Structure formats: C-alpha cells, structure tokens
Amino acid sequence: MLLTRRQLLHASAATGAVMFLTAGKSPPRGYGPVQWKFIDELSVPPFVEGATTLDLSLVNARHQFHSTLPPTDTLAYRLPHGRNGYLGPTIVVPTGHQLTVRSRNDIELQPLMRPFGVGRPPAATHLHGGNVEPGQDGRPYDTFMDLRTYEYANNQDAAGLWYHDQALGMARLNVYAGLAGAYLVRDVSVSGIDTGRGDFLPPPPYEVPLILQDMSFGRSGAMAYPEAWVPEFFGNSAVVNGTAFPFLEVERGVYRFRLYNASNARFYRLSLRERSSGKATRFWQIGTDGGLLNAPVPLTRLLIAPGERADLLVDFRAQPKGTILELANDAPAPYPLGAHLGHPGGAALGSIMQFRVTSSSGWAPGRNQSIAGMNLRPLTPIRRLDKVAAHAKVRSHSLIETTNLLGRPTMMTLDNRTFTSRDYQSRPVSPESVQVWEFANTTLDSQPIHLHLVQFQVLNRQPFDAGAYLKNYGHTNQVLTNMPPYPAPSPSPYLTGRSRDPAPNEMGWKDTVQAPPGMVTRIVVPFGRGAVDAPVAARNVHSGDYVWSCQILEHVDNEMVQRYRIE
C-alpha cells in the first residue's frame, strides 16, 4: 500500500498532535561525532561514461562510513554487478546526447523507518539541474515502486548536475540514506573546454567529485536521524563521498574538485587552510550549477547551500611534499544565525577533510598557462541579462515559516500554499519568455530555492521589512487562520535599502539560489533558447507542470514545494 505524504512525514509520531508538540526536538543521542579524524582515505565513486542506456537500481545495501564504525544498513543507486554500498556512480554524458536510464526500485525497507514498520518506500529520481520534459523530471509526486524509465536529452551547457531522490514526503530520509550521485555533462566538441580529456581542464583522476553531507551515528554505528520531524537536521560528523572525515593524497599539480552540497540542511562556508600555520590557501571557482564561468574567480572562502554545486580548481604545485591542507568550515547551523527559537542548531563542523601533498608531479595547464588567465568560454561567453530583466514580467513569491503557539516551526510554505494547492494554474509561464522571479524571505534562515527545468541568473538582493510585509499580507507567522491572497504581494513597498549585486562567483548560470533572511532575492529566468537574444544554458522548454522548492530537505518534505505551469 502506498503511503500518503502526511503518513510518510508523520510515520515517526503516533499522531499529528505528537509531531506538533515535538517539532524542534533534538536528534537522538548518538555515537557522538566520529572521534578519529583523517584516518580513512576518500572513496571516489566510479565514473560511468559512453553509455546510451543505463540500468540503475535503487537497493538496500551495507556501508561502513568509518573504520571505527561497523557496517550499517543504507540505500544506494547501483549499476548491474555494482558493489557500492552508498550513493551512486558518477554518470558522464556529452551535451546534446540522449541518455536512457532504466531505474528500478528494489528497496525492501527504508533503513531509517525500520523502527516504525514502514516497508517499501516510493521513489522519484530527480535530475537536479536537468533540462528535461515534465514526465522525465522526477517530480515529487511521480513516484514509482517497480520500474521507471527516464529520458535525458542533455541539451544544455556542460555542467555538474546531480541526481537524487525526491519522493513526496521522503526526500530527507532517502537522500540521507544514500540516494544521490553526481552527473557530469561534457562538451566534447572540437571547441569544447570541458571535454574531460585533460586538454584544458584537469581530467580524472585529477577531477574528483566531493559530495558533502553531515551525518550522525547511533550507538550501534547505524545512521541516526530524529524520530519526529525537525525544522532542519544537522549531523555531528562530516561525510564526503560516504566517508567520515576522510583524507585524500594529492600530487603536486592542479586538481578539479566538483563540489556538491548534498546535506539535508547545512550550509558550508569553506576555506582551505594549512594545518601547521592555519593560513588560508587561495583556490579558484570556475563553474556554478549550470556550467563554466567566463573566467576563474579567486576565493579564500566559499559559501555553498544545500543543492548548490561549485566547480573548483586547487593548485598544489607550490606545496612542498608532506604539506597537509584541511578543508575547514565556519558556517553556523542553521545559517546565518545559528540556534534560535524553534531551531536548536547543529554541531559545528570545523574540519571536513584533509589533502596530503605527495612528491609526485600532477596535471598542469598547457604552455604554463596560469589559472587566473584562463578563458573558460572563448566562443560562448555568458551575457548578463540585467537589461533584459528591466523589461521582464515580475513574479513575486513569499517564503513563510508557520509556527505553533510555543513559537516552534510546524510548517514551511511558499506563497502560503500547501503543495496540493491548484492556484499555480492561474499563473502559467509562456514558452520562450523571460521572467524575473523575486523571493521575499520572511523567515530567520537562509533558504536555497531551486527551480526545475531551467538555469537562471542571479540579479540582486535587497533588504525589506519582513514584519510589515507579513502584517499587511494577512499572515501572522503563527497560525494560518485564513488563506492570504495569491499570488503573493510585491515586497516593493517594504524595501528598506539599496539592492546588492551578486558576488563574482554567482555571475554564472544557476538552478539553486541562496535567499537570505530579511532580503528580497531576484533572479532572471529565460524559459527556452528563444526567450532572449543570447545563449542560454538550458536550451529546451516544454509545456506542462514543473516544481520549484526550497532545497533544505526537511522543508521540502513539509510543504515548502510548489508547482508552476508552462503553457
């Protein structure tokens, strides 16, 4: 029997009232953070490329996250004859080449739901960042219990996408248990930069996916997760590619790290620091969610939200043998305030992993080219759409946290609507059009907002009076006593300061944007290649229903997800 969204969400509580009272409960007391750091080598998922058809099964598995922990029950995406016990392979495809993925749900039991007797979970595999038809998108309600075939056209720029489960009400559990993997689109044309061959950018094994998660482990070593819904989940151990606090030996050369924030709710503010001195080492961001930037952006810190990806270059050539660099994090959880009313906060994860420099020489750019001087888009540079946006139709959206009488969160919504609302049908998007979407964040936490189908550009952010906006909106932020108007009203009358341009490393194509609290975040969205007189990263547009959501998985599982229609 298939469970409803609410049954799945509340399966860990005896009744809805129990969930209401225990929302905000801290995670169970577990094995603690993993005590022995940097004793296990990073595991790199296998690269699978050249296929036109893939059989990818969702399976129960066993995985050892750390050498001091016993193997435990997990989930995984697995190829025929595969043996991985967590996550899935890195799928590599050329841009414009169709890939058929036959996905079979062979899961017999969701390991995190075992205590509650919940059997086979539904699944919905979403290609995050994929420019696909509605029926191939893995929308939350397009779940399957046996076999589902997905067709991916890959008619988009070379980029680091990812695939993960997004079944209605189960995403936070299924992704945490292991249903996620990297998906790389390559440009193998004669003029291509991101070919994977090493003629311009580092190739495998110098190209390494880093899938970041934070997890907790019970006394038996099993994955630990709260027994009742919490506003956000924060684990007490950093896990990269399924290994807790790993190390990676690197040669004295340039590496390309494809960074994925696959955590349920944790933001990371990352730096690369020498262990001996604590000195920060510069690195370069060369790509965002939707593909390469025009040129590398030098950074010493990177803020990355759940669902976002960052394409990075790190140059180890000047590092002496034996140098140890640590990937460090100083972001509060939740971000940016840390613990506050109803949000107990998470353990600080100061160190994520180590890089240990060996004596071997590694990959280097040809003709001694400097990273700073790289032209990443010599033929199709990104053209900013700010002038186009000035004349585009604007859609205003509200980000809302509903609390109980104790001030504890009980629901997160977009536009004050649950997912079952049909109001979105009254505001369709025209194919081959361009729109500005603005998100008024009335909550206290930063919310990563993800749009399916498209890649967009970040326009700006502007402070506003969230309290006045809510009051005049007709929502007290305590209980939904009535149904406020739809669409959400414009926040323009409540703006309190000047707009702020995106950071240089946000100037590329994106499908997930950070919407800070007390700010109006604006993006410009071209729906199809005919929307603007400029190259776009996601080229196809289709008629039908798509999804936009918060990418904090506890939020998307508790109503912070909506549909939009193209017709």
Side-chain angles (χ1 to χ4, degrees), residues 279-303:
K279 180 181 177 181
T281 297
R282 182 177 60 174
F283 54 94
W284 289 262
Q285 184 166 352
I286 62 170
T288 50
D289 305 331
L292 294 172
L293 294 161
N294 286 336
V297 176
L299 299 171
T300 55
R301 289 203 309 182
L302 169 69
L303 179 65

Side-chain angles (χ1 to χ4, degrees), residues 245-479:
F245 299 109
F247 72 88
L248 176 66
E249 291 190 344
V250 294
E251 298 176 358
R252 298 176 68 239
V254 179
Y255 279 74
R256 182 182 188 184
F257 295 113
R258 311 300 291 260
L259 193 66
Y260 294 80
N261 186 346
S263 291
N264 281 33
R266 186 182 291 272
F267 284 62
Y268 296 89
R269 192 164 54 199
L270 300 169
S271 58
L272 197 59
R273 298 185 176 275
E274 293 185 19
R275 188 183 66 169
S276 57
S277 67
K279 180 181 177 181
T281 297
R282 182 177 60 174
F283 54 94
W284 289 262
Q285 184 166 352
I286 62 170
T288 50
D289 305 331
L292 294 172
L293 294 161
N294 286 336
V297 176
L299 299 171
T300 55
R301 289 203 309 182
L302 169 69
L303 179 65
I304 184 169
E308 284 190 302
R309 288 87 67 207
D311 195 350
L312 307 177
L313 292 183
V314 180
D315 191 349
F316 295 102
R317 285 176 291 181
Q319 302 289 350
K321 175 189 175 182
T323 300
I324 296 178
L325 299 172
E326 287 190 5
L327 186 64
N329 166 57
D330 66 356
Y335 188 82
L337 298 179
H340 53 85
L341 183 62
H343 298 250
L349 293 181
S351 296
I352 307 300
M353 66 175 294
Q354 278 188 353
F355 300 94
R356 301 175 180 176
V357 182
T358 68
S359 60
S360 303
S361 296
W363 185 91
R367 300 183 297 278
N368 295 317
Q369 181 184 20
S370 69
I371 293 176
M374 286 182 172
N375 184 353
L376 300 170
R377 285 182 173 266
L379 299 181
T380 57
I382 296 171
R383 289 169 52 186
R384 292 289 300 173
L385 303 178
D386 300 65
K387 292 183 178 179
V388 174
H391 306 285
K393 180 179 179 180
V394 178
R395 293 170 67 106
S396 299
H397 295 289
S398 61
L399 315 182
I400 304 290
E401 179 178 87
T402 300
T403 58
N404 63 19
L405 298 178
L406 299 177
R408 295 173 179 171
T410 56
M411 186 183 296
M412 314 288 180
T413 63
L414 304 172
D415 295 338
N416 267 296
R417 294 303 190 269
T418 64
F419 185 69
T420 57
S421 170
R422 299 284 179 177
D423 288 333
Y424 74 95
Q425 297 175 357
S426 66
R427 300 183 68 206
V429 176
S430 299
E432 308 297 350
S433 67
V434 60
Q435 292 190 349
V436 170
W437 286 33
E438 58 181 10
F439 309 108
N441 186 358
T442 70
T443 78
L444 294 178
D445 301 330
S446 193
Q447 309 288 346
I449 301 299
H450 169 50
L451 273 65
H452 290 210
L453 173 68
V454 293
Q455 295 287 338
F456 52 75
Q457 292 180 8
V458 183
L459 280 178
N460 56 51
R461 297 178 177 91
Q462 193 166 4
F464 78 116
D465 187 336
Y469 176 79
L470 281 172
K471 181 178 179 181
N472 288 283
Y473 191 179
H475 181 50
T476 65
N477 208 28
Q478 292 292 323
V479 289

Side-chain angles (χ1 to χ4, degrees), residues 18 34 38 58 63 114 134 140 150 159 164 172 192 240 249 261 283 304 315 402 412 416 421 425 482 489 529 546:
V18 172
V34 171
F38 318 129
L58 290 64
H63 181 71
R114 184 188 302 273
Y150 295 99
H164 61 82
R172 73 199 190 286
V240 186
E249 291 190 344
N261 186 346
F283 54 94
I304 184 169
D315 191 349
T402 300
M412 314 288 180
N416 267 296
S421 170
Q425 297 175 357
N482 55 33
R529 74 180 79 198
Y546 286 92

